[in-house]
Amino acid sequence: MVWFVELLKSNPLLLLFVVAAIGYPLGRVRLFGHSLGVAAVLFAGLAIGALDPDLKLPEVVYTLGLVLFVYTIGLSSGAGFFASFQRKGVRDNLLIVGMLMVAALAVAGVQYAFGLRPTLAAGLFAGSLTNTPALAAVLEQIKTIAPADARDQLLTDPVIGYSIAYPIGVIGMIVTMATLQRIWRVDYTSEAQGLRDLGAMGQKLVNRTVRITRPEISLLTVDELLRAKQWRVIFGRTLRNGQMMLVDGVTHLQQGDLVSLIGTEGEIAEAAAFLGEMTDERLELDRSKLDFRRIFVSNPRVVGRPLRELQLPQRYGALVTRVRRGDMELLPHGEMVLELGDRVRVVALRDRMDEVSDFFGDSYRALSEIDILTFSLGLAMGLLLGMIPFPLPGDTTFRLGVAGGPLVMALILGARERTGPLVWNIPYSANLTLRQIGLVLFLAGVGTRSGYAFVSTFSQSGGVVLFIAGALITCGVAFLTLWIGHKLLHIPMSLLIGMLAGLQTQPAVLAFALEQTKNDAPNIGYATVYPMAMIAKILLAQALILFLR
């Protein structure tokens, strides 16, 4: 065993892959109906790191992982993040900031009850909420206000409090989340259907043929019908007097026409009840004049622009009827913005289908390549943003750091999609791959660097008290956030557990949330509150030092 530990100490790359190889399969093991997923890499890192003080990965490993993870999350969540503020994003952020203030008050209570040094209490706050930037801010503040003869001791205190509370800060959130979702019997699949506007969940789309029986339908164009009735359906093709035609926004449907509708069963049934009657005809199977094909979107000139701007009916006599993004199938609309890696189902004249295919690109090989220029440029701008000092009262400054800077920049770039010829988003599959790699790097790095400190300091400096207090604060804040959010504010649990991960600014908790929901709703909740939670925790950690003296 000793020789193996020495081997790992001398070879950080081997240590990284051993931690990943042990943790990742453990995350697949299901206990009581739940599994940790990739978050298990963190606990494998803690266990291995506890064996020796030098058995830890270089800081750059987890920093690189964190940057990759938050940047790819931001790119995919940018549009949903800004859209949330048109709904209830302000409410969500106020909830999270309120819960963080409750945590700070709880820490102040523990400090008063047990006579802890304020520096230990500040470390407890940062650790129970697993926020390294908050710890860094506390250390910087101590350097400026502590007397020279006590500075070394005071700088050690926050690290001790942080290292003891950090592991339970992760475990407590996950346990609370798993317990409450089981007690409340949350159905994530049903919830996600109501979040389809956020792009969190695909839809089960079908194709049905309807016969028009109402003569007054011809008075309105298809676009006017859709606006008036707010139907979420696509009008595909129509058969009139034996002639098959593609339907576009200016088409006037007539009594006796057969028209194909694409959408969910419920939406099509509602439209059919108004238009006429459902039939057993299958217009979509007639490929004599109009054909259909699934095409990869790999042309950068197509992405980042609303479908309406592409003018497919006018230019090619073509219509996009479905969009597949990853495992999700989405119903297109005029304002939908295509992304690299999407697969579009297109209906067009048979002799023009190759033109349409060339227009979208349809190159699978191109989708395996990342535009290194825009990816690196976006990351560089994010890191620079994280370095900018923002002045605060009391001659202190605040920085977004290596996590907050890239996340905020990615949210902006992901919502913008493109700037002139520069396309900021990356293919969906590449985004998921980079996100997974980044998360594994981050969890393995943090786990190995925290393992030994956790074990060695647990019995020192009131370690038991700090551990119990950290567990109570973490679980208490998690319970209050979920109970108030779900039971009082009626926030869907799919979004709420992502918000809880954002409150914790903790990728491991987000990984567990994604494992439970099997959709992207937690990513949207996480990105919505993460920047505000990061700022609030840094400010509150510094306030604890100032007000508990």
Side-chain angles (χ1 to χ4, degrees):
M1 184 65 179
V2 174
W3 69 267
F4 186 63
V5 170
E6 292 299 321
L7 179 63
L8 294 179
K9 285 166 57 177
S10 63
N11 195 322
L13 280 179
L14 179 61
L15 172 60
L16 169 63
F17 292 117
V18 166
V19 171
I22 293 174
Y24 200 83
L26 286 178
R28 299 295 179 184
V29 178
R30 301 186 69 84
L31 295 175
F32 307 106
H34 301 290
S35 61
L36 287 173
V38 71
V41 174
L42 172 70
F43 301 106
L46 285 169
I48 293 177
L51 299 176
D52 190 280
D54 295 323
L55 202 57
K56 57 186 178 183
L57 290 168
E59 184 177 352
V60 69
V61 171
Y62 87 78
T63 302
L64 173 63
L66 180 60
V67 167
L68 287 176
F69 180 77
V70 298
Y71 187 74
T72 51
I73 285 285
L75 285 181
S76 64
S77 305
F81 169 74
F82 288 104
S84 71
F85 285 93
Q86 299 173 7
R87 294 181 292 272
K88 298 176 180 177
V90 174
R91 175 205 63 182
D92 297 344
N93 277 280
L94 287 176
L95 170 64
I96 294 305
V97 172
M99 291 299 98
L100 291 174
M101 293 178 69
V102 169
L105 291 173
V107 168
V110 170
Q111 188 267 345
Y112 179 79
F114 294 96
L116 298 178
R117 291 187 294 275
T119 45
L120 271 175
L124 170 64
F125 176 81
S128 60
L129 298 174
T130 66
N131 192 258
T132 305
L135 174 65
V138 167
L139 295 175
E140 287 299 315
Q141 190 172 34
I142 290 173
K143 290 177 183 177
T144 61
I145 64 175
D149 58 342
R151 186 172 299 164
D152 290 343
Q153 173 62 45
L154 293 177
L155 286 173
T156 302
D157 283 348
V159 178
I160 292 175
Y162 175 85
S163 62
I164 290 176
Y166 187 99
I168 194 62
V170 178
I171 299 170
M173 286 283 176
I174 291 175
V175 169
T176 305
M177 189 186 299
T179 302
L180 290 182
Q181 71 182 11
R182 193 174 185 87
I183 292 174
W184 293 339
R185 298 180 179 177
V186 178
D187 185 346
Y188 288 117
T189 303
S190 298
E191 271 193 357
Q193 295 299 328
L195 300 172
R196 57 189 179 186
D197 286 345
L198 295 178
M201 183 71 177
Q203 302 155 270
K204 185 178 181 180
L205 302 179
V206 296
N207 197 317
R208 298 287 183 262
T209 301
V210 175
R211 187 186 307 277
I212 306 298
T213 62
R214 299 180 62 175
E216 63 270 25
I217 295 297
S218 63
L219 299 176
L220 299 175
T221 66
V222 167
D223 272 350
E224 290 169 340
L225 273 172
L226 290 173
R227 282 196 299 268
K229 297 298 180 180
Q230 297 296 302
W231 293 328
R232 300 186 185 195
V233 297
I234 294 289
F235 287 77
R237 58 186 88 190
T238 183
L239 183 64
R240 179 183 299 168
N241 299 324
Q243 294 293 316
M244 189 76 73
M245 299 179 294
L246 195 67
V247 179
D248 59 25
V250 298
T251 299
H252 287 264
L253 297 172
Q254 298 179 8
Q255 186 178 12
D257 287 353
L258 291 176
V259 61
S260 63
L261 299 183
I262 301 97
T264 63
E265 288 280 10
E267 294 284 351
I268 290 179
E270 181 183 342
F274 181 83
L275 297 171
E277 60 186 12
M278 205 89 74
T279 73
D280 293 330
E281 300 279 349
R282 299 291 302 275
L283 291 187
E284 74 275 12
L285 299 182
D286 185 346
R287 306 178 72 169
S288 58
K289 182 179 180 181
L290 296 174
D291 201 0
F292 64 86
R293 184 183 297 178
R294 284 197 179 272
I295 303 172
F296 281 106
V297 178
S298 61
N299 182 358
R301 291 177 294 175
V302 172
V303 304
R305 298 166 58 191
L307 270 176
R308 193 184 310 279
E309 285 187 12
L310 301 182
Q311 297 183 326
L312 293 174
Q314 296 86 348
R315 297 172 64 181
Y316 300 103
L319 182 69
V320 175
T321 60
R322 307 184 193 204
V323 176
R324 189 168 185 85
R325 185 167 295 161
D327 292 334
M328 300 186 297
E329 194 160 48
L330 308 173
L331 189 71
H333 52 81
E335 300 307 316
M336 174 178 277
V337 175
L338 296 179
E339 298 180 3
L340 289 171
D342 287 349
R343 289 188 71 193
V344 293
R345 179 164 171 165
V346 179
V347 179
L349 293 170
R350 289 180 62 88
D351 57 1
R352 304 208 65 182
M353 187 61 79
D354 288 341
E355 291 181 68
V356 177
S357 182
D358 290 340
F359 175 73
F360 284 107
D362 202 25
S363 171
Y364 187 77
R365 178 178 179 179
L367 296 177
S368 65
E369 300 172 353
I370 296 174
D371 188 336
I372 298 298
L373 170 62
T374 55
F375 186 74
S376 301
L377 183 59
L379 270 175
M381 290 191 296
L383 291 169
L384 288 172
L385 177 62
M387 295 166 61
I388 297 175
F390 297 94
L392 297 174
D395 295 326
T396 59
T397 58
F398 160 76
R399 290 179 174 84
L400 288 172
V402 295
L407 176 65
V408 171
M409 183 58 64
L411 289 172
I412 296 170
L413 298 179
R416 187 172 179 81
E417 293 280 352
R418 68 184 302 148
T419 304
L422 300 178
V423 177
W424 300 110
N425 265 319
I426 61 177
Y428 184 86
S429 57
N431 185 300
L432 292 183
T433 301
L434 286 173
R435 189 184 308 176
Q436 188 86 333
I437 291 173
L439 186 57
V440 169
L441 291 176
F442 172 77
L443 296 176
V446 168
T448 55
R449 295 180 70 84
S450 303
Y452 192 83
F454 170 71
V455 173
S456 62
T457 60
F458 187 84
S459 59
Q460 303 172 15
S461 305
V464 175
V465 171
L466 290 173
F467 180 82
I468 295 174
L472 292 176
I473 291 168
T474 297
C475 295
V477 168
F479 174 80
L480 279 176
T481 302
L482 295 176
W483 185 80
I484 293 173
H486 192 60
K487 295 299 184 180
L488 297 185
L489 301 179
H490 305 292
I491 300 173
M493 195 74 165
S494 303
L495 280 175
L496 188 58
I497 57 178
M499 290 166 54
L500 184 63
L503 175 150
Q504 196 77 341
T505 55
Q506 179 50 254
V509 178
L510 177 60
F512 180 78
L514 291 168
E515 185 75 18
Q516 307 311 299
T517 63
K518 307 298 183 186
N519 61 57
D520 283 344
N523 282 337
I524 296 171
Y526 180 86
T528 299
V529 303
Y530 182 103
M532 186 63 71
M534 176 75 72
I535 295 169
K537 285 197 279 190
I538 290 173
L539 296 177
L540 289 170
Q542 292 176 326
L544 286 171
I545 291 288
L546 294 175
F547 292 111
L548 295 182
R549 286 190 293 173

